[in-house]
Amino acid sequence: MSKSKLLAATLPAILISTAALAAGETIAVFTKNQTNPYFQTVRIGAEVAAKSLGAKVVHYIPTKPDSIPEQLSQVEDVIVKKPSAIVFVPVDYKAMVPGVEQINDAKIPIVNVTDRSAGGKFLAFVGADDYSLGLETARFLLKSIGGKGNVVILEGVKGSLTNIDRVRGFNDAIKEAKEVKLLASQPANYQRLQGLQVMENLMQSHPQIDGVLAANDAMAIGAIEALDGANRKAKVVGINGTQEAVDAIKSGKLLASGDYNGFLQGCIGTMVAIRSLRNEPTVTEVVLKPTVVNASNYQPYDSPLESRSCPSWSEAAAMASK
Amino acid sequence: MSLASDAAARPSGFHVSREVQQLAYRLLAVALLCAALSFATEAFFTANNILNVLRQASLLFFLASGLTLVILTGGLDLSVGANIGLSACFAATVIKATGSPALGTLAGLATGLAIGICNGLMVAKLRIPSFIATYGMLWVLHGITYYYMAGETIHGFPPGFRQIGSGYFLGVPIPVYLMLVFLLAGTIFAQRTIWGQQIYAIGANPVAARLTGIPVDRRLILVYAFSGAMAGVASIVFLARLNSAEGDIGEAMTLPAIAAALIGGASLFGGVGSVFGTFIGALILTLVLNGMNLLAVNANWQPLVTGLIVILAVWLDMVGRRRT
């Protein structure tokens, strides 16, 4: 009784002493927009990591999605406010270089997450690689249709870095499968409605489609609606591992979704920033291996993000590129 | 002669012969497009694909038909895409919370209408230029929607509700019937009622309209309210078709909706255009996408082709007008 009371009384003290180094740092987290669920996973990852290390997170998100001028003005704002460190997803990997250089000049340590900046000095880069994400997700689908049949690709926004790499990965996987025929590769701009409409159109000219490779989950779900509407069956894969995709995998509508591990990226990026502030050893490059979420491994993804926990530092360090 | 004075000098929609001539030009453009596509791919001219195109055009038409009345008064409504996003998210929330698609539909329509009325009040009573008022509204709506949804989606609705978007009646998709209803109602309203003619008159010459005793403010509030309500309609059909709501669903639809009205012969100077013309405009834009998908046009070229066809369509229209 008294023992437990004693423990209860001293527990805060113990916690405080272990968090002696937790100076309550403020980490400014820059993401691209409020609309894409992916960035929400990055933000929650950052929050979970900061909370576990006793630091605070402040978010900077352009009100106009992916706006370069707006992120630049947010950079200027943050230089005035001087947070302890910055976790940075550039809205454009080239256009934001001057902004990064301003942060470098202001001597605020900065970690680059998700989209690799074309310039500037960073403590580390934490990301996943879109090419292998596309490649592994496509391989999974092609294996599932028995390495033969007709497939179509739904591309994202033309010219965006993510799209170029994912579609290149799709195409390389298709080249490996000699008996698979690529019927069409058409843009649906990462939009759900366009995914549905482009799929409807493709079904008009192609009576037999066995597989659909979509460069994100929204288009994949749109394509599934189109297939359902026409009473046709095809295996569909998407990319991002969104909650909606996990639900569709559970109900057997979606075959798989390549996960970019945004939550992990937010975790590790923030951990690197905080560890370097506390002069603890860190890493300089973490490129995560893609996870193809499917019926056999979706369970960990089927929980609210807030309740997930970040990996331990040793686990995170093990993911670092050698 | 400047475009503005040219538009103002034109009589306002009372000349049936001119109207018919204008529409004949547009129908010809659609026929040419269809003929070309029929030759290019055998998948195009099938009952299945025609219904497919009509169903795809319906969403764009709902949005663009409401916008057409706003454009007729010489205004613009840039908030329709953001309106779809918020209306759909509210409708989805209500369906999930109450299990009643009817209540959800009502919530979506009411949200769209309320947004439209706010736009109308800003334009008519506060005299804020419509471009600015509705552009400001767009950001207000985005702000509310993004905060409310926090990057999440709401998905999975009752099968009965989903019929609105994906069901058929006598082999024809339900949204196509809805489109025909609004096409008829909108055309009769604009061409055959006093209110409709007053809307044309306001766009042709707002000062003269006020002097002749037309209740300009009330008619302005009416057209913006209608535009908002039509965005509400689009949001419900969208929800029922896609079985899912997310904050940015309407984002890519505002400009195509404006383009559909302009391709359909509406003028941003006001007083010119028709709901039927807008229907043709929505059809042309949808046919272009359908054709490119069927022909598997290289993805890199698609934006260019779309742009050229839009410019060509309006230019042909100009040529046709100079002749009449």
Side-chain angles (χ1 to χ4, degrees):
Chain A
M1 217 35 189
S2 63
K3 242 187 193 168
S4 64
K5 263 199 186 141
L6 185 72
L7 185 66
T10 53
L11 194 62
I14 294 166
L15 281 178
I16 289 162
S17 65
T18 52
L21 282 170
E25 300 95 334
T26 306
I27 310 295
V29 177
F30 282 75
T31 43
K32 285 191 196 188
N33 59 56
Q34 288 169 300
T35 46
N36 184 341
Y38 168 77
F39 294 109
Q40 183 68 4
T41 66
V42 174
R43 290 191 285 267
I44 294 175
E47 280 169 18
V48 170
K51 202 169 159 187
S52 69
L53 294 169
K56 283 201 308 286
V57 166
V58 185
H59 291 292
Y60 288 86
I61 314 161
T63 53
K64 186 172 183 301
D66 304 7
S67 160
I68 295 165
E70 203 174 339
Q71 191 173 57
L72 267 174
S73 66
Q74 288 176 337
V75 163
E76 282 153 12
D77 178 52
V78 90
I79 287 171
V80 173
K81 291 212 174 102
K82 276 239 187 280
S84 324
I86 295 174
V87 171
F88 194 74
V89 181
V91 291
D92 183 291
Y93 73 108
K94 284 193 199 127
M96 287 311 297
V97 173
V100 175
E101 285 166 347
Q102 285 179 32
I103 294 171
N104 290 156
D105 293 343
K107 301 275 187 292
I108 304 169
I110 172 168
V111 179
N112 182 197
V113 170
T114 302
D115 287 2
R116 196 186 289 267
S117 172
K121 289 196 292 291
F122 293 95
L123 293 172
F125 170 74
V126 181
D129 135 38
D130 276 298
Y131 171 76
S132 56
L133 195 65
L135 185 74
E136 293 304 329
T137 310
R139 278 177 178 163
F140 188 87
L141 175 115
L142 298 175
K143 203 168 130 193
S144 149
I145 61 173
K148 58 179 188 298
N150 298 335
V151 298
V152 295
I153 293 177
L154 297 178
E155 302 183 23
V157 176
K158 283 313 279 184
S160 74
L161 213 54
T162 52
N163 186 61
I164 294 169
D165 287 348
R166 288 174 195 182
V167 172
R168 198 161 50 89
F170 286 169
N171 278 308
D172 285 2
I174 292 168
K175 280 185 202 123
E176 290 169 0
K178 294 282 175 277
E179 290 175 64
V180 170
K181 185 162 180 249
L182 176 63
L183 298 174
S185 187
Q186 294 281 291
N189 302 316
Y190 289 138
Q191 297 272 340
R192 186 182 302 265
L193 177 66
Q194 289 182 34
L196 169 106
Q197 295 189 334
V198 170
M199 190 66 203
E200 282 174 341
N201 291 340
L202 291 175
M203 285 191 299
Q204 300 295 329
S205 48
H206 302 294
Q208 184 61 39
I209 299 173
D210 304 296
V212 181
L213 298 145
N216 79 345
D217 286 339
M219 293 189 294
I221 307 270
I224 289 171
E225 292 300 335
L227 286 159
D228 281 356
N231 280 326
R232 282 172 59 167
K233 287 267 178 288
K235 297 262 170 68
V236 183
V237 290
I239 285 179
N240 276 343
T242 53
Q243 184 58 49
E244 188 184 16
V246 172
D247 289 349
I249 289 167
K250 263 201 302 196
S251 65
K253 283 184 175 294
L254 183 72
L255 176 72
S257 173
D259 183 36
Y260 214 66
N261 289 318
F263 179 81
L264 266 183
Q265 289 184 36
C267 282
I268 298 173
T270 308
M271 284 155 90
V272 168
I274 295 171
R275 287 179 67 85
S276 78
L277 288 171
R278 299 175 187 178
N279 297 320
E280 293 164 353
T282 66
V283 293
T284 55
E285 172 105 357
V286 180
V287 177
L288 299 166
K289 286 201 173 53
T291 313
V292 181
V293 184
N294 62 70
S296 67
N297 70 354
Y298 70 82
Q299 288 79 3
Y301 290 83
D302 197 20
S303 66
L305 284 161
E306 289 80 357
S307 64
R308 291 187 208 170
S309 52
C310 287
S312 70
W313 178 249
S314 57
E315 284 168 340
M319 298 175 196
S321 320
K322 299 292 174 284
Chain B
M1 187 158 194
S2 82
L3 264 175
S5 59
D6 191 32
R10 216 177 288 133
S12 54
F14 292 102
H15 282 255
V16 174
S17 62
R18 179 190 296 268
E19 292 268 314
V20 169
Q21 229 164 355
Q22 293 290 329
L23 288 176
Y25 272 110
R26 281 198 184 75
L27 283 168
L28 186 71
V30 172
L32 281 175
L33 202 55
C34 289
L37 285 170
S38 304
F39 278 112
T41 165
E42 55 194 42
F44 176 78
F45 205 74
T46 58
N48 238 342
N49 190 50
I50 301 299
L51 290 176
N52 171 45
V53 167
L54 285 171
R55 181 168 58 182
Q56 290 184 4
S58 70
L59 267 175
L60 192 56
F61 172 76
F62 296 139
L63 215 51
S65 62
L67 247 167
T68 303
L69 294 194
V70 171
I71 291 174
L72 282 179
T73 65
L76 198 57
D77 187 349
L78 296 175
S79 70
V80 286
N83 183 334
I84 287 191
L86 188 61
S87 301
C89 291
F90 277 175
T93 308
V94 172
I95 294 175
K96 284 284 182 196
T98 63
S100 159
L103 281 178
T105 302
L106 214 58
L109 297 179
T111 308
L113 178 67
I115 292 165
I117 290 172
C118 288
N119 283 331
L121 290 172
M122 283 194 287
V123 173
K125 298 294 178 194
L126 304 180
R127 300 287 159 91
I128 301 171
S130 65
F131 188 100
I132 298 299
T134 58
Y135 184 68
M137 180 58 89
L138 178 159
W139 288 111
V140 169
L141 298 177
H142 272 335
I144 298 170
T145 313
Y146 296 164
Y147 176 78
Y148 178 66
M149 296 297 282
E152 297 293 326
T153 55
I154 304 174
H155 59 100
F157 303 109
F161 171 72
R162 300 218 43 216
Q163 290 293 313
I164 300 172
S166 40
Y168 289 83
F169 178 71
L170 304 177
V172 178
I174 305 282
V176 175
Y177 288 108
L178 287 174
M179 174 162 69
L180 293 177
V181 168
F182 283 111
L183 177 59
L184 265 172
T187 302
I188 290 168
F189 172 77
Q191 311 300 334
R192 292 277 172 268
T193 67
I194 301 286
W195 285 20
Q197 292 303 308
Q198 287 176 342
I199 287 166
Y200 274 100
I202 291 168
N205 191 336
V207 178
R210 263 183 219 281
L211 292 174
T212 51
I214 294 173
V216 174
D217 288 2
R218 265 184 283 160
R219 297 296 170 266
L220 284 177
I221 294 168
L222 177 79
V223 297
Y224 286 93
F226 182 69
S227 178
M230 286 312 290
V233 170
S235 78
I236 297 299
V237 177
F238 193 112
L239 212 53
R241 271 203 86 187
L242 278 143
N243 201 19
S244 146
E246 56 195 325
D248 62 347
I249 58 174
E251 220 155 286
M253 291 177 76
T254 306
L255 277 178
I258 295 171
L262 299 187
I263 292 171
S267 158
L268 286 175
F269 299 111
V272 183
S274 69
V275 176
F276 187 79
T278 298
F279 165 68
I280 302 288
L283 213 51
I284 289 177
L285 281 173
T286 312
L287 280 169
V288 171
L289 176 73
N290 176 257
M292 288 194 299
N293 289 155
L294 294 187
L295 296 169
V297 172
N298 184 314
N300 293 322
W301 294 105
Q302 292 200 8
L304 178 82
V305 174
T306 309
L308 288 177
I309 289 193
V310 168
I311 293 170
L312 190 71
V314 176
W315 179 70
L316 278 177
D317 183 43
M318 290 288 165
V319 172
R321 277 190 197 186
R322 283 190 203 118
R323 291 238 178 100
T324 52

